[in-house]
Amino acid sequence: MIKARKNEKKQGKSVLVAFDRDGTLIYDNGYFGRKDNWKEEVKFYKGGVEAIRALNIFADIIVASNQIGVALGFYGPERVDEINKYLDDTLQKQGAKIDGWYFSPYIEKDWAKKNGLDLNSPWVLDTFPETRKPQIGMLKSAVADFGKSLSFYKKIFVVGDSLDDLNMALNANAIGIFFENKRNDHLLKEVESLEHSNPGKIFRVNNLFSAAKIVKSLSI
Ligand SMILES: [Mg+2]
């Protein structure tokens, strides 16, 4: 996995929150960063900056993002780095601090075959990538970078707009918060079924600040 950026973090926080990037922190029309003028397209979802600022007080915060666009050849990992740095700077200027940025550019061989990709690409792995959501490799890397382990944390949350985000949460024995961004209504049925089969583990919000409130209420 490629670690895009890691900021200094404070020791001792016992809550971890992982935000998805595309479709959660920022609007995404598909493979964000594919266009060279991506900067003009950066738009944060309402409530995100406030949510991060509120969470900074008691939680380690990371951004964990699947970046299949790299494997598909739409852009290179340096584009992802560049975007993450830009988002990080923009957030910092508003007093919102992300403790680490993580992304996975990898896909598995079967998927690559189905999609006619070069199997010798460095982004194609034999089996499903441990770093790719819904697997929990990015969470593991982050906590290792923080000098902690997953079990160190009292509570872990994953906030995102896709089923992969919720399943990453469940795979990490964490709490998943589904962000309804008006573009993912087609997932609601499956989200509801996850809610039913995992009582108390799955929540839904339509504003990121509401996600921060849920994190807070479950963390104190
Ligand atoms: Mg997303």
Side-chain angles (χ1 to χ4, degrees):
M1 198 220 6
I2 291 182
K3 184 176 62 204
R5 229 173 117 75
K6 178 167 97 69
N7 292 332
E8 249 180 75
K9 59 10 169 161
K10 289 192 187 81
Q11 290 295 337
K13 291 174 182 170
S14 60
V15 176
L16 175 67
V17 183
F19 281 97
D20 169 51
R21 194 191 81 180
D22 303 338
T24 302
L25 284 185
I26 57 168
Y27 285 74
D28 176 30
N29 283 321
Y31 305 109
F32 188 89
R34 196 175 180 178
K35 296 189 200 149
D36 288 335
N37 68 343
W38 58 266
K39 231 175 242 185
E40 292 159 29
E41 296 188 337
V42 170
K43 192 178 166 202
F44 285 88
Y45 275 99
K46 218 177 139 203
V49 172
E50 295 81 358
I52 294 164
R53 275 202 299 245
L55 293 169
N56 276 146
I57 298 164
F58 64 94
D60 288 332
I61 305 177
I62 65 164
V63 174
S65 177
N66 281 349
Q67 289 295 330
I68 208 169
V70 174
L72 287 165
F74 294 157
Y75 44 80
E78 39 323 306
R79 170 65 56 88
V80 184
D81 271 334
E82 197 189 344
I83 293 168
N84 288 350
K85 184 181 183 316
Y86 179 81
L87 298 179
D88 193 53
D89 290 345
T90 307
L91 288 169
Q92 289 223 33
K93 276 181 202 151
Q94 298 172 79
K97 185 167 168 281
I98 301 294
D99 297 298
W101 293 79
Y102 298 84
F103 69 94
S104 177
Y106 300 107
I107 51 165
E108 72 277 18
K109 207 180 231 171
D110 286 348
W111 194 92
K113 259 186 211 162
K114 258 185 245 156
N115 289 276
L117 299 186
D118 173 11
L119 299 184
N120 295 314
S121 148
W123 314 119
V124 175
L125 307 183
D126 283 341
T127 54
F128 194 93
E130 176 61 22
T131 57
R132 178 168 171 70
K133 293 186 274 189
Q135 293 306 307
I136 64 170
M138 289 192 275
L139 293 177
K140 284 185 179 168
S141 295
V143 301
D145 287 342
F146 297 163
K148 297 175 180 173
S149 62
L150 287 174
S151 57
F152 170 88
Y153 288 94
K154 240 175 25 195
K155 284 272 170 28
I156 299 175
F157 300 84
V158 181
V159 184
D161 68 315
S162 79
L163 296 173
D164 281 345
D165 297 307
L166 299 183
N167 283 316
M168 181 205 225
L170 295 174
N171 287 336
N173 200 23
I175 289 166
I177 303 180
F178 184 69
F179 175 51
E180 294 177 14
N181 64 9
K182 295 192 176 138
R183 298 173 181 208
N184 53 9
D185 293 349
H186 60 286
L187 299 177
L188 280 176
K189 234 184 176 160
E190 279 169 278
V191 172
E192 272 169 27
S193 126
L194 280 181
E195 271 180 302
H196 286 302
S197 46
N198 300 278
K201 291 272 188 183
I202 302 288
F203 293 82
R204 280 188 278 160
V205 297
N206 53 23
N207 180 295
L208 292 173
F209 195 68
S210 306
K213 283 191 194 157
I214 289 174
V215 170
K216 195 170 178 191
S217 71
L218 295 176
S219 298
I220 48 173

